[in-house]
RNA sequence: GCCCGAGUGGCGGAAUGGUAGACGCAGCGGAUUCAAAAUCCGCCGCCCAAAAGGCGUGGGGGUUCGACUCCCCCCUCGGGCACCA
């Protein structure tokens, strides 16, 4: 009997699949298609155990669908542009391109031994000029269709390094390298008009039936549709009118100030002549640009001295303040503050001694507001005080509607629908990204590059010894002739956000070598992605941008109308987490360490090499930059790919995060060896006559396993499917059935395991005389008649607590069950001669006696 | 700060509103062995000497004959917050 030797088995079957072209996607045979896609990886250097988990899930689906008669597309590529490559070039020298392609080679070499059923012939990286050239071509199409434009937007500016920083490069409001206080600065940047699609993107969420509800909810909230009132506060002498947007117009009588954003045109204008305003704007421009930073920053205001008139009473004037919590991008960049019914406004008014005016009170317990704003749900009735639209007892929602009506009729305001969703800024002042294919000409303005000159390739002769974008200081690349008039002009030196790269790769996989962005014929056949798998961290940005992009691509003729929602079903897998180990350098900046370099004891953790004490930060998503990654290569080396694949899907439900622990892989390896051993014994056993009852039992167990495992795979219950496979293996091992029945059962076991442990399954299949490759064998179908049990065990509860059980025929009628239950010892004892208050019989389920 | 999730034995976790803890790990006991590894068999939520019984799904309330599951409040942890990918 041969041992379970993964080092010979696994390469053998990988070669067999390769030679048979098992996983090369084709459109032939008139079979239904199935497109399964896992979010493609960033080539950080080496794969980690989270990648293995993610791609194994996709592979289980891909192999299962192949065996249920589908033409399967299961591709792989790399999201290869981005900051880490430039950081590596800065830190260790070399070129981002070299670093990136070497990483890709390494990762492919690590993925191949895992035996994923991928169509490697379709692989590409987004930094391939063939890919980003097509992206540039689409950018030009988008420009023609008015889907791209330029405007000013704020960036994190490092005044020492004289460069733009990413949010993650701003630590506590300071630049990560220079340590200088970051300031917000405006630059002219490129934007996609995603906001034109707000309503459509929101509406279409309803149709995403196979998306997780939480993702749909997150996207809805992100788009943030609101209805409110837009109107102007007339200025008094010297002040222009200020247009505001409010979602609570009903509280207008509670207004105590008008607030404008520090970036509001009026604030900017004032700053030119008023040094206090200029100083205030400079002060609040410190720190990062993130919503979180702005939200958490201390609320600061400055009285401009300007006054405006209340729209309902021209004698009532309100002061105009500049406040740092008002965003220029949302609404009109100006608000009125109603402290009685908004906690932030209340804090602001208490801080700056502005009045607080109640506009409504709780019907019972009508207490005026002191230090806590009164903000009941908008569906709750409240008592209005002198409401201008004549309301007395009404809900917030009713009051808002009535107010908008009132203002529209009176002609001083109009109801407006607003969205929180902002246009997508795609400009990046960095080298390692897709160049934006436009040229700036003094005479012609912004001119797109001619399509025949695409791709606009990145120049290779660049260095990263100076901060900033090397494209900016590369005259021979930057200087060019205007495509329109031929005069000397300059190329755009901004590159695209890497989210652009990942917003259409799924479409490119359908025709990865096409000389246009997509091929309609292939897109029509393969789109949509039937099952998309990726991390919940992409719930909003990547998935929303992709939904926008598919629409934009359709408008430009690159995708059929049927593909504007590109992902039919979405599954968000949990992350593999691990503690982070960190020490501090001489400047108190964090230095991260790999788990294998750290020795963890009960008393604490130390660096293996130096014994230096290490701080342990609780588990977080595995990330190369934090070095809390586990390399699967050692596990594959020691136990084989199937063990790694089996292990990452067993135990934890796929949607949940898992904390990585090294123990447990061995147990998986033992189980697979046991399956191999059982199968070998059965393969070598001579035919015999078992007894009929044993045969019947094993057949029932087999069909139960087919049913349960199929359901598990269909519903992403991989851990549950694996538990059933354990149970079935136990049943097979203990069975006294005849050899032919056992052989059939073992072949079925191999088939059911094949999506998870394809190499072992092929081996067992061939050992037992299975025909051809198990990868191509038809998935087994459960015989319903073998699934039903004749008798069922009914638990008997007394007052909801289980006290006994009875065994009854499956279809025994209710009255009979009641009789049996009342005759049960435990029930008789509990009743003590009395009558039950209530008797509940759920046929086939449970009996509950209420006493 | 705002939006979205998750929390069940020593551990990973199972459970259409119907027997809480399937399956696996660890642990304990046994068989086999000169011995060990491997393998096989059994036990295994907590309290109680055991039985009977009681308690038990992050905490507190509620709905229900019956709640891990539904509702309300709270705690802790995780994800996202538009330039990490």
């Amino acid at each position: 009997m041969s041992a379970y030797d993964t080092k010979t088995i696994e390469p053998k079957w990988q070669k067999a699949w390769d030679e048979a072209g098992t996983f090369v996607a084709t459109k032939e045979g008139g079979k239904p298609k199935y497109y399964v896609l896992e979010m493609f990886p960033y080539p950080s250097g080496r794969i980690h155990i989270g990648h293995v988990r993610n791609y194994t899930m996709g592979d289980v689906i891909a192999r299962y669908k192949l065996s249920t008669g589908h033409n399967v597309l299961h591709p792989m590529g790399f999201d290869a542009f981005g900051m880490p490559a430039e950081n590596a070039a800065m830190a260790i020298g070399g070129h981002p391109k070299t670093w990136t392609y070497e990483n890709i080679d390494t990762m492919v070499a690590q993925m191949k031994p895992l035996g994923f059923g991928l169509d490697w012939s379709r692989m590409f990286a987004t930094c391939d000029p063939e890919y980003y050239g097509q992206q540039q071509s689409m950018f030009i199409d988008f420009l023609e269709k008015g889907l791209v434009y330029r405007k000013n937007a704020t960036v994190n500016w490092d005044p020492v390094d004289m460069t733009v920083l990413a949010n993650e490069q701003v630590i506590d409001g300071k630049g990560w390298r220079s340590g200088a206080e970051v300031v917000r600065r405006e630059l002219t940047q490129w934007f996609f008009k995603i906001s034109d699609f707000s309503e459509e993107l929101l509406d279409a969420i309803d149709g995403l039936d196979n998306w997780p509800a939480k993702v749909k909810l997150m996207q809805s909230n992100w788009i943030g549709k609101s209805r409110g009132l837009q109107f102007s506060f007339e200025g008094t002498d010297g002040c222009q009118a200020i247009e505001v947007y409010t979602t609570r117009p009903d509280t207008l009588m509670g207004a105590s100030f008008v607030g404008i954003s520090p970036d509001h045109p009026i604030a900017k204008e004032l700053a030119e002549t008023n040094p206090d305003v200029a100083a205030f704007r400079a002060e609040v421009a410190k720190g990062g640009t993130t919503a979180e930073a702005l939200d958490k920053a201390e609320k600061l205001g400055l009285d401009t001295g300007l006054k405006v008139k209340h729209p309902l009473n021209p004698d009532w004037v309100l002061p105009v303040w500049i406040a740092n919590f008002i965003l220029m991008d949302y609404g009109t960049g100006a608000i009125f503050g109603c402290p009685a019914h908004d906690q932030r406004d209340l804090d602001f008014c208490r801080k700056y001694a502005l009045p607080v005016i109640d506009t409504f009170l709780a019907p019972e317990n009508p207490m005026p507001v002191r230090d806590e704003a009164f903000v009941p749900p908008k569906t709750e009735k409240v008592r209005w005080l002198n409401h201008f639209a004549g309301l007395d007892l009404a809900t917030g929602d009713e009051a808002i509607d009535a107010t908008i009506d009132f203002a529209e009729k009176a002609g001083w305001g109009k109801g407006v629908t607003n969205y929180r969703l902002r246009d997508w800024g795609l400009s990046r002042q960095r080298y390692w990204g897709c160049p934006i294919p436009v040229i700036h000409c003094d005479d012609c303005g912004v001119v797109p590059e001619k399509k025949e000159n695409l791709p606009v390739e990145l120049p290779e002769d660049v260095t990263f010894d100076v901060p900033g974008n090397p494209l900016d200081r590369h005259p021979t690349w930057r200087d060019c002739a205007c495509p329109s008039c031929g005069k000397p002009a300059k190329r755009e030196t901004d590159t695209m956000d890497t989210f652009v790269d990942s917003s259409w790769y799924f479409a490119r996989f359908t025709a990865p070598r096409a000389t246009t962005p997509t091929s309609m014929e292939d897109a029509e056949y393969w789109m949509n992605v039937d099952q998309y798998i990726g991390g919940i961290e992409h719930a909003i940005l990547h998935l929303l941008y992709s939904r926008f992009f598919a629409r934009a691509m359709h408008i430009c003729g690159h995708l059929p109308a049927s593909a504007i929602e590109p992902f039919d079903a979405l599954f968000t897998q949990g992350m593999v987490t691990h503690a982070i180990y960190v020490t501090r350098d001489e400047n108190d900046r964090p230095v991260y360490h790999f788990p294998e370099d750290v020795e963890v004891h009960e008393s604490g953790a130390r660096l293996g090499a130096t014994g230096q004490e290490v701080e342990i930060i609780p588990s977080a998503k595995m990330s190369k930059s934090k070095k809390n990654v586990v390399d699967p290569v050692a596990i594959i080396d020691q136990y084989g790919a199937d063990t790694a694949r089996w292990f990452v899907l067993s135990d934890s439900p796929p949607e949940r995060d898992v904390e990585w622990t090294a123990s447990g892989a061995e147990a998986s390896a033992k189980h697979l060896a046991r399956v191999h051993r059982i199968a070998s014994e059965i393969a070598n056993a001579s035919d015999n006559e078992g007894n009929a009852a044993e045969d019947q039992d094993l057949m029932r167990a087999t069909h139960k396993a087919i049913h349960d495992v199929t359901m598990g795979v269909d519903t992403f219950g991989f851990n549950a499917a694996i538990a059933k496979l354990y149970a079935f293996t136990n049943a097979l091992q203990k069975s006294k059935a005849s050899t032919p029945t056992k052989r059939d059962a073992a072949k079925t076991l191999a088939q059911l395991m094949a999506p998870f442990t394809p190499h072992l399954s092929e081996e067992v299949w061939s050992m037992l005389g299975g025909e051809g490759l198990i990868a191509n064998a038809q998935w087994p179908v459960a015989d319903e008649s073998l699934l039903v049990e004749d008798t069922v065990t009914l638990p008997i509860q007394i007052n909801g607590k289980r006290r006994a059980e009875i065994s009854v025929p499956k279809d025994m009628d209710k009255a009979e069950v009641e009789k049996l239950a009342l005759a049960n010892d435990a029930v008789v004892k509990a009743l003590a001669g009395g009558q039950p208050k209530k008797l509940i019989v759920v046929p086939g389920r449970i009996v509950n006696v209420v006493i």
Side-chain angles (χ1 to χ4, degrees):
Chain A
M1 198 189 303
S2 60
Y4 174 46
D5 174 14
T6 58
K7 289 215 162 62
T8 53
I9 289 173
E10 292 182 351
K12 177 173 78 181
W13 293 110
Q14 283 165 20
K15 188 158 168 264
W17 300 324
D18 267 353
E19 284 169 358
T22 307
F23 301 109
V24 176
T26 70
K27 296 185 281 184
E28 278 128 48
K31 294 191 262 183
K33 68 92 188 180
Y34 197 89
Y35 182 4
V36 55
L37 182 66
E38 303 96 63
M39 290 180 185
F40 66 165
Y42 178 79
S44 55
R46 299 178 68 76
I47 62 169
H48 60 67
I49 202 73
H51 292 117
V52 177
R53 189 167 182 241
N54 195 192
Y55 305 137
T56 304
M57 289 179 198
D59 200 33
V60 168
I61 301 290
R63 287 173 176 271
Y64 168 64
K65 290 293 174 182
L66 190 66
S67 69
T68 53
H70 293 81
N71 282 333
V72 172
L73 173 57
H74 185 210
M76 179 56 67
F78 289 88
D79 188 13
F81 276 135
M83 283 203 313
E86 288 189 36
N87 294 341
M90 276 185 261
I92 58 175
H95 195 281
K97 181 176 171 178
T98 320
W99 184 85
T100 303
Y101 280 103
E102 282 177 6
N103 285 350
I104 290 173
D105 288 347
T106 306
M107 290 173 74
V108 170
Q110 290 179 305
M111 283 160 76
K112 289 247 168 122
L114 281 157
F116 295 133
L118 290 163
D119 182 353
W120 286 103
S121 73
R122 290 177 186 250
M123 182 178 125
F124 60 77
T126 55
C127 63
D128 296 342
E130 294 74 28
Y131 182 81
Y132 72 72
Q134 298 303 334
Q135 188 164 304
Q136 291 169 338
S137 170
M138 283 198 293
F139 181 91
I140 292 166
D141 294 342
F142 285 15
L143 199 57
E144 278 170 10
K145 297 284 184 191
L147 296 163
V148 197
Y149 69 104
R150 297 215 302 164
K151 70 168 178 182
N152 279 355
T154 321
V155 294
N156 301 306
W157 181 255
D158 185 323
V160 170
D161 277 352
M162 303 289 281
T163 185
V164 177
L165 298 178
N167 286 334
E168 78 161 5
Q169 296 173 318
V170 179
I171 299 159
D172 297 331
K174 301 193 172 63
W176 67 326
R177 300 176 79 87
S178 70
E181 187 140 34
V182 169
V183 292
R184 291 196 282 274
R185 177 185 257 213
E186 287 202 330
L187 286 183
T188 304
Q189 312 220 62
W190 287 95
F191 284 82
F192 287 126
K193 290 196 93 176
I194 189 172
S195 66
D196 278 2
F197 296 76
S198 299
E199 183 66 32
E200 198 197 324
L201 288 167
L202 181 66
D203 274 352
I205 288 172
D206 278 345
L208 300 173
D209 295 333
N210 293 306
W211 280 41
K214 62 180 168 184
V215 173
K216 293 197 277 187
L217 188 56
M218 281 190 259
Q219 291 214 353
S220 296
N221 291 342
W222 186 261
I223 293 169
K225 184 177 183 174
S226 66
R227 178 157 168 83
L229 185 73
Q230 194 162 314
F231 66 96
S232 285
F233 284 93
E234 298 265 327
T236 59
D237 45 0
C239 176
Q240 51 186 290
I242 297 177
E243 182 141 61
V244 300
Y245 171 75
T246 177
T247 57
R248 288 309 298 261
D250 51 324
T251 64
L252 185 51
M253 293 308 283
S256 61
F257 67 98
V258 167
I260 61 174
S261 164
D263 297 318
H264 194 280
I266 293 175
K268 285 183 179 174
E269 199 186 310
L270 283 173
E272 284 169 19
T273 55
N274 182 334
D276 288 345
V277 174
F280 182 78
R281 289 190 74 233
E283 178 60 28
V284 300
K286 285 179 187 166
T289 55
T290 64
E292 186 186 358
L294 298 172
D295 252 358
K296 284 186 178 166
E298 193 195 348
K299 306 293 176 274
L300 295 173
L302 178 77
D303 188 353
T304 60
L306 301 174
K307 307 277 189 220
V308 291
K309 293 178 196 165
H310 195 286
L312 296 167
N313 177 0
D315 298 331
W316 182 359
V317 292
L318 295 169
V320 178
W321 285 65
I322 304 173
N324 65 341
F325 55 84
I326 301 167
L327 304 176
M328 195 56 222
D329 312 316
Y330 185 72
T332 59
I335 59 149
F336 72 81
C338 177
H341 309 295
D342 182 292
Q343 191 60 43
R344 188 180 58 189
D345 291 350
L346 181 63
D347 295 343
F348 189 82
C349 287
R350 292 297 185 217
K351 181 169 182 171
Y352 294 109
L354 290 159
V356 175
I357 308 150
D358 296 297
T359 68
F360 56 78
L361 299 171
E364 289 114 46
N365 192 24
M367 292 284 291
V369 165
R370 292 182 183 278
D371 294 322
E372 203 174 314
F374 179 48
V375 194
K378 281 189 268 187
T379 50
E380 212 168 86
K381 283 205 190 300
V382 292
R383 176 86 57 197
W384 295 84
L385 309 170
N386 308 317
H387 194 275
F388 49 94
L391 295 167
D392 175 29
L393 196 63
T395 68
D397 283 327
E398 290 162 356
I400 291 166
D401 288 346
T403 307
I404 292 172
D405 264 8
F406 180 89
E408 285 185 340
K409 282 190 185 120
W412 54 266
K414 64 173 199 278
V416 167
T417 299
N418 241 315
Y419 300 88
R420 207 185 69 101
L421 180 64
R422 307 202 296 258
D423 278 333
W424 170 10
L426 68 120
S427 296
R428 295 293 180 271
Q429 294 70 42
R430 273 187 271 284
Y431 168 79
W432 193 233
C434 172
I436 294 173
V438 300
I439 288 146
H440 299 275
C441 171
D442 285 340
D443 292 349
C444 312
V446 176
V447 185
E449 179 59 272
K450 289 183 180 150
K451 282 203 177 174
E452 63 260 34
N453 295 335
L454 299 182
V456 176
E457 280 199 56
L458 289 166
E460 298 209 11
D461 53 333
V462 289
T463 56
F464 295 87
D465 42 4
V466 202
N469 182 357
L471 296 177
D472 263 344
R473 42 175 200 268
H474 194 297
T476 57
W477 185 83
R478 195 185 60 198
D479 297 341
C480 62
C482 170
S484 175
C485 69
K487 285 194 197 147
K490 288 194 193 316
R491 280 191 192 288
E492 171 68 65
T493 59
D494 281 357
T495 52
M496 295 186 204
D497 177 9
T498 57
F499 272 123
V500 182
D501 311 337
S502 57
S503 289
W504 71 287
Y505 76 107
F506 48 86
R508 184 70 183 167
F509 273 136
T510 65
R513 311 292 170 234
T515 51
T516 45
T518 58
S519 130
M520 261 316 201
E521 192 201 336
D522 289 294
E524 299 250 14
Y525 181 80
W526 288 113
M527 289 299 286
N528 297 338
V529 177
D530 292 277
Q531 182 66 60
Y532 196 31
I533 302 169
I536 186 68
E537 69 271 27
H538 296 293
I540 295 171
L541 293 180
H542 163 61
L543 288 165
L544 192 60
Y545 288 159
S546 296
R547 296 179 60 217
F548 158 73
F549 229 78
R551 284 166 170 77
M553 285 174 75
H554 168 61
I555 289 168
C556 300
H558 298 303
L559 277 179
S562 56
I564 61 169
E565 281 301 340
F567 312 121
D568 278 354
L570 173 69
F571 184 85
T572 55
Q573 96 280 7
M575 285 170 295
V576 181
T577 62
H578 198 284
I580 296 167
Y581 302 113
V582 63
T583 55
R584 299 272 163 178
D585 71 5
E586 62 275 12
N587 297 320
D588 202 39
R589 280 182 230 158
V591 179
Y592 298 101
H593 303 279
F594 288 113
E596 60 263 35
D597 298 334
V598 176
E599 291 170 7
V600 183
H601 309 283
E602 277 172 34
S603 53
R606 293 178 183 284
L607 279 186
T610 64
Q612 189 189 354
E613 202 165 317
V614 174
E615 184 189 345
I616 303 177
I617 298 172
S619 280
K621 161 176 85 159
M622 282 192 185
S623 144
K624 183 82 189 298
S625 64
K626 301 276 164 54
K627 293 196 175 177
N628 63 334
V629 291
V630 171
D631 194 327
V633 169
I635 294 163
I636 299 166
D637 218 44
Q638 194 175 353
Y639 302 112
D642 282 341
T643 290
R645 296 170 57 114
W646 182 264
F647 178 52
V648 292
L649 293 190
S650 58
D651 294 350
S652 289
E655 68 278 11
R656 202 181 290 184
D657 290 350
V658 284
E659 169 73 7
W660 176 260
T661 54
S663 62
E666 195 182 340
S668 296
K670 278 185 187 173
H671 176 73
L672 300 190
R674 182 162 76 115
V675 170
H676 187 270
R677 195 168 53 244
I678 294 167
S680 310
E681 281 165 13
I682 294 171
N684 293 329
S686 46
D687 283 4
N688 61 354
E689 299 223 352
N691 82 43
E694 288 283 349
D695 278 11
Q696 179 75 4
D697 283 351
L698 185 56
M699 275 166 63
R700 279 182 182 278
T702 304
H703 284 264
K704 182 99 171 41
I706 294 170
H707 175 264
D708 291 349
V709 173
T710 303
M711 194 149 89
V713 171
D714 273 335
T715 61
F716 274 82
F718 300 131
N719 57 322
I722 284 178
K724 304 293 184 187
L725 286 166
Y726 270 108
F728 180 39
T729 306
N730 292 342
L732 175 60
Q733 185 171 31
K734 287 179 179 145
S735 174
K736 303 267 193 312
S738 66
T739 303
T741 305
K742 280 183 157 183
R743 194 174 292 134
D744 283 347
K747 281 169 80 176
T748 302
L749 175 63
Q751 279 195 282
L752 296 177
M753 287 176 72
F756 303 93
T757 57
H759 313 86
L760 170 64
S761 290
E762 291 284 5
E763 186 71 14
V764 168
W765 183 253
S766 81
M767 207 188 274
L768 294 166
E771 211 175 299
L773 290 168
I774 202 170
N776 292 321
Q778 194 63 33
W779 190 256
V781 177
D783 179 345
E784 295 289 333
S785 68
L786 289 170
L787 297 177
V788 288
E789 302 287 341
D790 301 331
T791 58
V792 290
T793 303
L794 285 188
I796 297 181
Q797 294 182 333
I798 295 169
N799 290 338
K801 284 269 179 192
R802 191 187 68 91
R803 291 293 182 236
E805 55 186 38
I806 50 174
S807 192
V808 299
K810 177 174 63 88
D811 43 12
M812 179 183 259
D813 75 48
K814 227 168 157 172
E816 286 292 308
V817 175
E818 281 180 14
K819 217 180 283 174
L820 274 178
L822 290 174
N824 183 277
D825 287 350
V827 175
V828 171
K829 200 172 145 198
L831 282 173
Q835 283 297 308
K837 271 194 201 145
K838 203 166 181 181
L839 187 58
I840 291 143
V841 176
V842 183
R845 278 284 176 198
I846 205 162
V847 179
N848 192 9
V849 186
V850 185
I851 292 169

